[in-house]
Amino acid sequence: MITLHKAAGVVEILDTVTAKTAHVIEQFFHFAAGCTLKHSSGSEWQIENDGNSLSVVFDSNTQVDLFEGSVEPVLGWESLGYGRKHPSPTIRTTRTSMGTCTLKTYIQMTST
């Protein structure tokens, strides 16, 4: 479920997963090649591009990894056409869970 909290300028993303046995749950967040990603603290990251800035807070129960131009695993690439690729930042969150879990992500515009 995606909810816009307009007054606060926040987009809230809730992903609910139900599994009978333990599963590894991954989320992928792909960013344009021109974006700069910086880890702030905990599960919060700052994303900047062309004078615009976002604060993204990933679920605190996940491991957050940044990839850019990675070949193992193959992550962090952008293709502008057939046979043409260049590195671009991708964040992968990972969590192992059984039963029902809800992953929460918050995105907020910030000033630069």
Side-chain angles (χ1 to χ4, degrees), residues 3 10 23 26 60 108:
T3 305
V10 174
H23 282 71
E26 296 176 304
S60 60
Q108 181 168 25

Side-chain angles (χ1 to χ4, degrees), residues 13-27:
I13 303 169
L14 301 178
D15 291 306
T16 302
V17 178
T18 302
K20 291 182 181 180
T21 60
H23 282 71
V24 175
I25 302 165
E26 296 176 304
Q27 297 173 296

Side-chain angles (χ1 to χ4, degrees), residues 29-101:
F29 297 84
H30 303 271
F31 300 91
C35 291
T36 302
L37 281 69
K38 296 176 187 171
H39 181 236
S40 295
S41 65
S43 58
E44 183 175 354
W45 288 71
Q46 295 298 315
I47 293 87
E48 295 179 3
N49 188 14
D50 289 335
N52 298 303
S53 181
L54 293 174
S55 171
V56 182
V57 179
F58 298 99
D59 193 283
S60 60
N61 293 312
T62 63
Q63 176 179 324
V64 179
D65 297 299
L66 173 63
F67 297 90
E68 189 164 354
S70 173
V71 293
E72 186 57 42
V74 179
L75 281 173
W77 296 96
E78 178 179 60
S79 175
L80 299 177
Y82 181 75
R84 296 182 299 153
K85 68 177 182 180
H86 55 85
S88 65
T90 299
I91 285 183
R92 176 186 68 189
T93 70
T94 309
R95 176 183 175 173
T96 300
S97 182
M98 184 172 63
T100 299
C101 77

